[in-house]
Structures are given as structure tokens and as C-alpha cells.
Amino acid sequence: MIIKAVADPSAMVSLKAICEELKLDPRLAREKLRIASREPKKYPELAKTHKPRGAWEWPKGSEAEKQARAALAE
């Protein structure tokens, strides 16, 4: 019997939610995150968690979410 672990969608924070909270343009935010994810020394968790063509979302309260918020604040 194979059991798959399914992440609770309510436990994830999307880029859309962060943009609404911080009043940012989602297009510019994605651009900033793309640049930040290419800097693994400065944002190691962000670089690890994002896959190309994947959704910009993170587990709520995770280090990756904190680094994404920090990258957007710059």
C-alpha cells in the first residue's frame, strides 16, 4: 500500500497573497524572486525550493517564505 503525503493547501503561502499583503505588483515581485533565487549564497532556501515553471508558493512560516519576503523588501 502506497500512501502519498499531500500538503494542506491552506498551509501554503502564495506569491499572490504576499503581494496583496505588501501591495506589490505580482509581475515585478516574480522578477525580483527570479533574481533572488539565482543567489543561493544570499537566499539558500529560496533557491532550493523554487523549480522553474513552478508556482511561487511556500509552506507557511518556512525559512523559504521568510527569504522570499526579504527579497521582495529590497
Side-chain angles (χ1 to χ4, degrees):
M1 181 176 183
I2 298 174
I3 299 174
K4 289 186 177 182
V6 178
D8 182 14
S10 65
M12 299 296 278
V13 177
S14 68
L15 179 60
K16 182 179 179 181
I18 292 173
C19 287
E20 287 174 359
E21 181 183 322
L22 300 177
K23 295 178 177 57
L24 296 172
D25 177 31
R27 185 170 181 238
L28 294 175
R30 285 192 305 274
E31 188 176 328
K32 283 184 171 185
L33 288 176
R34 276 195 234 60
I35 293 167
S37 68
R38 291 186 202 119
E39 296 181 32
K41 289 185 180 184
K42 193 171 182 182
Y43 304 105
E45 289 300 313
L46 185 61
K48 270 193 263 180
T49 57
H50 183 67
K51 304 295 181 226
R53 302 236 178 237
W56 288 102
E57 60 183 10
W58 307 273
K60 189 175 264 183
S62 69
E63 189 61 32
E65 179 200 354
K66 291 174 188 169
Q67 289 179 9
R69 287 179 182 273
L72 292 173
E74 286 186 354

